[in-house]
Amino acid sequence: MATSLPVNADERVGPVYLTAAEIAARVAELGAEIARDYAELEPVLVGLLKGSFVFLADLSRAMQIVHAVDFVELAGYGGADTGGHNHVRLLKDLDADIADRHVVVVDDVLDTGLTLNYLFRAFRLRRPASLAAATLLDRPYRRLVDDLPVRYVGFTVPDEFFVGYGFDLDERFRNLPDLHLRAAATAS
Amino acid sequence: MVVENPVFQAYCGAEPPNFQNESELECAKILDFYGIPWQYEPRTFVLAEDEDGRVLEAFTPDFFLPEQDLYLEVTVMKQSLVTRKNRKLRKLRERYPDVKIKLFYKRDLQRLAERYNLDLAS
């Protein structure tokens, strides 16, 4: 059933940057690549909530190997709103033990690498067999932490904000099948 | 302008940092938040000298991240300042090719906030 999505309900939802078909083709390639690399290893895909849930759902279904799925959620940087001085922490931890498991963290977008760096440091303490990351979007030119095992990258993207395919705009429009540019209103 | 400091956990400099503006303070808070060890203005790089060795131009990046061996210069969105800082970074890279330095844009801060739907004071 075709669904009419109210893209025009918010003028900040800009033009399509990547179509659903383009994303699907690339995610299929990534899924096949991960399946090849982790054949017989039964990896755990760990989605970083909330932005990665759409990507993870598609990636998981593109992997024709046995694997588990889990999620974590981090309390993000709150700046002045939270007094500006607390520390990153897990709001939702993994459900399963990852000791001796092969873990692939699935992220929606990677830029500074600060979030992933924290997560990898936390996960390493649990002694997984291996740690790697897959990200749908990458802005390598914004990286502050370079030594991250980011093995799978969907698209290298320009310095823009996005909405759709898991990316939200005030918690809305995560369900848009295409990836849209966000208008500059809040990004200027 | 001197900005009042909170207590930092990941700061590893000798003297208390003396931030020049709110953007620098915000960057320090982010680094601290993510547990990234940092120093504030630990080194000044000479960019140009006259024939007698007198310093004509120098540049002191705002932050140094020892674990990343990376200098950071904080910048705001004002394009004239970004352009000026980019010029200094280019000079620094030419004269010190082994030194890693990056600009930390206000947009990076916005993205960290966007990710968690936070409304940051600018």
Side-chain angles (χ1 to χ4, degrees), chain B residues 44-78:
Chain B
T44 295
F45 295 90
V46 174
L47 298 182
E49 300 159 291
D50 65 14
E51 56 266 24
D52 297 323
R54 282 188 292 259
V55 175
L56 297 177
E57 187 179 10
F59 181 42
T60 306
D62 297 320
F63 293 91
F64 178 62
L65 313 185
E67 285 189 358
Q68 281 71 36
D69 190 24
L70 173 69
Y71 287 89
L72 282 186
E73 177 66 11
V74 178
T75 188
V76 292
M77 297 302 282
K78 196 174 174 185

Side-chain angles (χ1 to χ4, degrees), chain A residues 48 74-81 83-88 107-109 111-112 114-115 117-118 121 139-140 142-146 159-161 168 170-171 174 182 186-188, chain B residues 6-10 25-27 29-37 65 67-68 70 72 77 100 102-105 107-121:
Chain A
L48 191 50
L74 294 175
Y77 177 71
D81 282 0
H85 195 68
N86 47 13
H87 295 93
V88 64
D107 204 359
D108 52 350
V109 59
D111 34 55
T112 61
L114 291 171
T115 304
N117 180 61
Y118 166 78
R121 277 188 295 160
R139 298 185 187 101
R142 301 303 321 134
R143 199 86 80 246
L144 298 183
V145 182
D146 280 322
D159 207 7
E160 300 284 351
F161 287 80
D168 79 305
D170 303 332
E171 281 303 326
R174 290 189 195 272
R182 266 184 58 174
T186 58
S188 58
Chain B
V7 176
F8 292 109
Q9 306 291 319
L25 173 62
E26 204 64 34
C27 181
K29 287 178 180 176
I30 290 172
L31 296 171
D32 226 57
F33 181 84
Y34 285 98
I36 305 289
L65 313 185
E67 285 189 358
Q68 281 71 36
L70 173 69
L72 282 186
M77 297 302 282
K100 290 196 296 178
K102 290 186 177 179
L103 280 181
F104 189 84
Y105 292 91
R107 181 170 273 212
D108 294 320
L109 174 60
Q110 283 181 317
R111 286 219 176 85
L112 287 164
E114 283 284 316
R115 184 166 193 140
Y116 301 100
N117 295 310
L118 298 167
D119 183 21
L120 286 185

Side-chain angles (χ1 to χ4, degrees), chain A residues 17-18 61 81 90 164:
Chain A
Y17 178 76
L18 290 169
R61 287 176 291 178
D81 282 0
L90 287 167

